[in-house]
Amino acid sequence: MSEKSQFSLLRARRFAPFFVTQTLGAFNDNVFKNALIILVTFGIAGLSIEQINVYVNLAAGFFILPFFLFSATAGQIAEKIEKSRLIRALKISEVLIMALGALALWSANLFFLMFVLFLMGAQSSIFGPVKYSILPQALHESELIGGNAMVEAATFLAILLGTLVGGWLIAQQGGAFAVGGCVLLIAAAGYWVSRGIPPAPAGAPDLKINWNPLTETWRNLKFMQTNRTVFLSVLGISWFWLYGATFLSQLPSYTKVVLGGNEQVVTLLLTVFSLGIGLGSLLCERLSGHKVEMGLVPLGSIGLTVFGIDLYFAAHGVAQQTGLGAAEFLAQPGNLRVLTDLLLTGIFGGLYIVPLYALIQTRSEPSHRSRIIAGNNILNALFMVAAAIVSILLLRAGLSIPELLLTVAVMNAAVALFIYTLLPEFLMRFIVWILINLLYRIRTRGLENVPDEGAAIVTCNHVSFVDALILGGTIRRPVRFVVYHKIFRIPFLNFIFRTARTIPIAPAREDAALLERAYADIEQALRDGELIGIFPEGGLTPDGEIQEFKPGIEKILAKTPVPVVPMAVRGLWQSMWSRRASKMGRSRLPRRFRARIELIAGEPMPGDKLRASDLEVRVRQLRGADS
């Protein structure tokens, strides 16, 4: 597995041109959108406050409406057509749309501007499924978290910079001409860069497109529900957009009424929040160890709730002063806490959202991936509309803006608990991730030898009670371990084992029926293409040395001869979870945290005619002299 930084992807042709293309597109959309809003608010004479509010809300509606109308069709198009060619066609359409946008800005015709905004939304709704479905084709699975993190971080920063640049340009003398020229130039640059995107084959070239958006949307949503993990991940992403849309839409009023700040303070808060999401996204790769780590999702949801609630206690009254600039705002006592809460909310939001996108990409069938992402975009848009409606209703019901934000933060905790109840795998991975990262610093070698798909068995020496957690938390694929039934029943660990669909086993002298049931479950799992984890010693080592491998694995391979990946763990004999601690009369409390251990994987061994003794020799070689 590559241990290169995610930033090394910027030097790879399979990623860099696409990354720059999508970033320029996000930047350009927001230059135009914010310029339009500023123009409507301040630049067109004769509009009343009521008319301005109507047009500003219409602008948001015209941009989001195409996601409902065209996403389902867009998912099919992205499935049927080679993706790099489709992206170039979309970038050409962006040049044409921005040419119309420049004309609309120069004419200051509101209906023309709204029509262009609708076209921009249509182009974005078609680009969305391509944006996320091309990544699994271009990147290795170990790069997927880093690639998604780079895309999410760049998107939010592009939104921020586009908003700032669009607002600044339109405010200048001849601002409409400046914005028109800018969006045309950026669109042309996006097309030029897109020419470097390498081919990405169509997922379903023979697909017959259903042009009816209503029936295809319903079909997408029904298909998503057949994969429970993917569907709940989509709901989790959609909830994040509701949460974020609520916070961002209330930010200007919150700044004016509660913090007493002016436009500078709004820009400062938006910048801090966006930088937080970008930083959290980039942290995902480092915290997850180059794999799709679902344990980060509960961590992110906890942070979103904690710091969303703390924001209420940081500032929830009416400001005593108004019109504060950025410098004056920062000089006020307590406002640093507001900025810290927004920054950390953004960081935990990044930790929450990136693994969910990567999970959808890896768990979706390649032939349906674009359509599932299209369905995700539809639900995202629906949840953002719901955010606006719910906010209006709650504010009219008498809630203040801080109370509204507090309500959403508390609701986030309830939604998270609901999702983790339905999908305990997320919570299990969080517990495993916290445990192994709190107690150990794990160095890995050769994990690329574990096949990304298909049936296989991983075997390892058995040193401690947490060996399965170490392997399961480090290997990229879900592993179904075969564990001694008494260890399987240990409180707390039992929840993790059950959630991971661990197979309990017992010697024939203890429970012959359980032994036969375990063999049957292993055989079925391998026939289903799953990854099985086995400790062939049959029990924990009593002295730190590798014990004789039992012949049970030969019985398994006789019926299902799949590849076997030999692995060895080093450094765990000194752990509080090994039998060494109890033999020396020591307590189970940790003597040191972040202990260094090592996990080594060798090349797969053919399963047909593999003897347990040969496997034992290979594991001994991998382990070497343990320390």
Side-chain angles (χ1 to χ4, degrees):
M1 179 172 60
S2 171
E3 296 295 334
K4 292 182 180 179
S5 164
Q6 57 204 330
F7 296 104
S8 65
L9 291 173
L10 295 177
R11 299 192 297 271
R13 181 173 176 264
R14 56 196 168 89
F15 178 78
F18 162 76
F19 173 78
V20 175
T21 298
Q22 76 87 26
T23 302
L24 289 175
F27 174 82
N28 220 20
D29 282 352
N30 286 277
V31 169
F32 186 89
K33 280 194 296 183
N34 202 45
L36 185 154
I37 290 171
I38 298 298
L39 182 65
V40 169
T41 306
F42 300 104
I44 298 179
L47 292 179
S48 66
I49 295 296
E50 291 77 11
Q51 288 176 311
I52 289 173
N53 288 335
V54 168
Y55 281 117
V56 167
N57 285 300
L58 275 177
F62 270 107
F63 187 79
I64 204 169
L65 180 61
F67 285 88
F68 291 105
L69 297 179
F70 305 130
S71 286
T73 303
Q76 297 175 87
I77 293 172
E79 218 82 83
K80 185 177 180 64
I81 300 176
E82 191 274 311
K83 293 181 179 60
S84 67
R85 182 160 61 93
L86 179 57
I87 290 174
R88 286 191 287 275
L90 288 169
K91 298 312 286 186
I92 290 174
S93 72
E94 183 182 334
V95 174
L96 298 176
I97 291 169
M98 289 307 176
L100 292 175
L103 292 174
L105 287 166
W106 298 338
S107 67
N109 184 299
L110 284 172
F111 294 104
F112 195 4
L113 286 166
M114 294 299 167
F115 174 67
V116 171
L117 200 59
F118 178 82
L119 293 179
M120 288 172 53
Q123 192 258 3
S124 296
S125 69
I126 297 172
F127 184 73
V130 189
K131 172 180 175 179
Y132 287 107
S133 62
I134 197 174
L135 286 177
Q137 292 181 264
L139 303 179
H140 304 301
E141 188 173 339
S142 61
E143 299 170 326
L144 204 51
I145 279 287
N148 275 282
M150 295 287 287
V151 168
E152 290 303 311
T155 298
F156 275 93
L157 293 179
I159 291 171
L160 172 64
L161 292 175
T163 301
L164 297 177
V165 170
W168 180 78
L169 284 178
I170 198 68
Q172 307 305 307
Q173 187 71 28
F177 290 91
V179 173
C182 176
V183 295
L184 265 174
L185 181 64
I186 297 299
Y191 169 70
W192 181 76
V193 175
S194 72
R195 293 173 62 87
I197 299 175
D206 299 325
L207 177 69
K208 184 178 179 180
I209 295 179
N210 175 16
W211 296 100
N212 185 324
L214 295 178
T215 58
E216 186 60 27
T217 296
W218 181 250
R219 185 186 300 174
N220 274 1
L221 296 178
K222 291 290 288 182
F223 181 80
M224 275 197 300
Q225 293 178 53
T226 62
N227 187 325
R228 195 165 184 244
T229 301
V230 168
F231 181 64
L232 290 173
S233 298
V234 167
L235 289 180
I237 290 172
S238 298
W239 169 257
F240 172 80
W241 285 110
L242 183 150
Y243 184 101
T246 303
F247 267 70
L248 292 176
S249 64
Q250 301 305 320
L251 208 54
S253 298
Y254 176 78
T255 302
K256 180 179 180 179
V257 175
V258 179
L259 302 179
N262 62 12
E263 295 85 350
Q264 292 180 3
V265 180
V266 175
T267 300
L268 175 63
L269 298 184
L270 179 62
T271 300
V272 167
F273 185 75
S274 300
L275 288 175
I277 290 180
L279 182 58
S281 298
L282 295 176
L283 280 172
C284 281
E285 187 201 41
R286 184 172 183 83
L287 292 175
S288 66
H290 299 267
K291 64 180 184 296
V292 180
E293 180 49 75
M294 292 175 291
L296 292 179
V297 179
L299 178 64
S301 65
I302 290 169
L304 286 171
T305 294
V306 169
F307 295 105
I309 291 174
D310 192 68
L311 184 65
Y312 172 80
F313 292 103
H316 58 271
V318 176
Q320 300 301 309
Q321 293 178 269
T322 58
L324 299 176
E328 296 171 301
F329 171 78
L330 291 172
Q332 295 286 323
N335 284 342
L336 183 60
R337 180 178 174 184
V338 172
L339 289 177
T340 302
D341 283 334
L342 279 175
L343 177 67
L344 290 171
T345 298
I347 288 174
F348 281 96
L351 294 178
Y352 175 89
I353 197 74
V354 169
L356 287 176
Y357 273 119
L359 183 67
I360 290 173
Q361 292 162 346
T362 55
R363 296 283 184 94
S364 300
E365 291 291 335
S367 60
H368 286 79
R369 186 179 290 136
S370 296
R371 281 172 282 179
I372 286 175
I373 293 169
N376 170 68
N377 291 343
I378 294 169
L379 285 179
N380 291 173
L382 181 63
F383 273 60
M384 284 190 282
V385 171
I389 295 172
V390 170
S391 296
I392 291 171
L393 292 176
L394 291 179
L395 290 173
R396 285 187 175 181
L399 265 64
S400 66
I401 292 175
E403 289 169 342
L404 170 64
L405 300 181
L406 175 65
T407 300
V408 174
V410 173
M411 287 172 63
N412 181 71
V415 170
L417 287 173
F418 174 69
I419 291 177
Y420 305 145
T421 300
L422 295 178
L423 198 65
E425 182 182 4
F426 278 50
L427 185 58
M428 179 272 292
R429 292 292 306 188
F430 173 61
I431 294 171
V432 171
W433 183 83
I434 288 289
L435 181 63
I436 66 175
N437 284 279
L438 177 66
L439 296 178
Y440 304 111
R441 283 174 291 176
I442 305 174
R443 179 186 175 190
T444 62
R445 283 192 286 151
L447 287 189
E448 68 276 4
N449 289 315
V450 179
D452 291 330
E453 56 185 20
I457 295 174
V458 294
T459 62
C460 190
N461 55 316
H462 204 4
V463 186
S464 75
F465 290 102
V466 295
D467 289 346
L469 302 187
I470 298 294
L471 270 66
T474 307
I475 294 172
R476 294 189 298 272
R477 286 180 63 185
V479 185
R480 291 191 67 183
F481 283 97
V482 182
V483 173
Y484 181 49
H485 68 109
K486 291 185 178 178
I487 296 179
F488 179 85
R489 296 190 179 100
I490 292 176
F492 175 72
L493 292 183
N494 178 252
F495 164 75
I496 297 174
F497 288 142
R498 283 188 293 104
T499 306
R501 297 165 61 229
T502 299
I503 300 171
I505 196 169
R509 65 180 181 276
E510 292 184 26
D511 192 333
L514 180 60
L515 176 63
E516 290 306 313
R517 188 161 63 248
Y519 278 128
D521 289 344
I522 294 168
E523 181 181 353
Q524 185 60 51
L526 292 174
R527 294 191 186 282
D528 291 340
E530 297 186 87
L531 186 64
I532 293 292
I534 293 177
F535 300 100
E537 293 168 84
L540 292 180
T541 174
D543 55 10
E545 296 300 320
I546 295 177
Q547 308 301 299
E548 179 184 359
F549 279 18
K550 301 295 189 291
I553 191 168
E554 296 178 5
K555 180 178 177 180
I556 295 169
L557 293 172
K559 291 186 176 181
T560 47
V562 299
V564 179
V565 181
M567 304 183 76
V569 64
R570 295 164 47 91
L572 272 175
W573 177 242
Q574 305 293 330
S575 165
M576 62 176 176
W577 301 105
S578 72
R579 284 183 171 169
R580 178 177 183 270
S582 58
K583 281 179 174 290
M584 299 181 69
R586 295 184 178 179
S587 72
R588 289 289 182 193
L589 294 176
R591 296 183 295 279
R592 60 190 179 114
F593 288 95
R594 303 289 288 158
R596 292 183 181 274
I597 62 175
E598 192 171 13
L599 182 63
I600 309 161
E603 293 184 0
M605 304 173 71
D608 54 324
K609 299 181 181 179
L610 179 64
R611 299 178 63 84
S613 57
D614 297 330
L615 184 60
E616 178 188 333
V617 169
R618 184 63 184 125
V619 172
R620 288 180 181 276
Q621 291 172 344
L622 291 171
R623 191 200 66 160
D626 194 6
S627 57

